[in-house]
Amino acid sequence: CRAEKIQKRAARVGFDWSGVDGVYDKLEEEIAELLEASGDSERELEEFGDLLFTTVGLARHLGIDSERALRLATLKFETRMQRVIEEADARTIELSGAPDSVKSELWMHAKRPK
């Protein structure tokens, strides 16, 4: 991805974290900044982008292909969501009106191995 290419280019000239701990610290900083931006949509957009960019940096430091990881996470979510819908239908639960506790229970059920 472009973010990873830019980060690798910066690393080649010596601008990079010295280790993964620095990336985790930066992630915490970016999350705090996103929380501080609450209610300011322009700033939220910027801070969310910073969080994503830093997450790509973490993937790079861990030797993880960030795009592949996101594709796998999306597929896992999609599969689990289908199981949630199937279980809700089997229990005649209308998801749109169900309380969060019921949705959470359905999600935990979907996470269990088949």
Side-chain angles (χ1 to χ4, degrees), residues 30 33-54:
E30 296 300 348
E33 289 176 1
L34 180 58
L35 288 168
E36 288 171 12
S38 181
D40 180 342
S41 60
E42 279 297 310
R43 191 158 165 242
E44 284 177 328
L45 177 65
E46 180 181 343
E47 297 302 340
F48 186 75
D50 290 349
L51 178 60
L52 288 175
F53 188 82
T54 303

Side-chain angles (χ1 to χ4, degrees), residues 92-108:
T92 62
I93 296 170
E94 179 61 44
L95 282 174
S96 62
D100 288 345
S101 59
V102 171
K103 292 175 188 176
S104 180
E105 192 276 323
L106 289 168
W107 184 256
M108 295 308 290

Side-chain angles (χ1 to χ4, degrees), residues 2-112:
R2 185 165 192 267
E4 187 175 347
K5 289 176 187 173
I6 297 296
Q7 290 179 17
K8 284 181 179 178
R9 196 175 310 150
R12 280 195 298 269
V13 298
F15 193 83
D16 198 5
W17 292 282
S18 58
V20 74
D21 288 342
V23 188
Y24 284 118
D25 291 343
K26 186 66 173 172
L27 275 174
E28 288 179 12
E29 176 187 321
E30 296 300 348
I31 290 169
E33 289 176 1
L34 180 58
L35 288 168
E36 288 171 12
S38 181
D40 180 342
S41 60
E42 279 297 310
R43 191 158 165 242
E44 284 177 328
L45 177 65
E46 180 181 343
E47 297 302 340
F48 186 75
D50 290 349
L51 178 60
L52 288 175
F53 188 82
T54 303
T55 303
V56 170
L58 177 60
R60 184 174 53 83
H61 273 265
L62 296 174
I64 294 171
D65 177 333
S66 58
E67 287 191 61
R68 181 171 179 246
L70 183 56
R71 278 193 305 273
L72 290 171
T74 302
L75 178 60
K76 180 171 62 174
F77 178 84
E78 186 177 34
T79 300
R80 287 178 178 169
M81 196 62 232
Q82 186 58 43
R83 290 182 70 191
V84 165
I85 292 167
E86 289 169 3
E87 186 65 21
D89 286 349
R91 297 184 194 183
T92 62
I93 296 170
E94 179 61 44
L95 282 174
S96 62
D100 288 345
S101 59
V102 171
K103 292 175 188 176
S104 180
E105 192 276 323
L106 289 168
W107 184 256
M108 295 308 290
H109 177 80
K111 285 178 66 173
R112 290 185 212 132

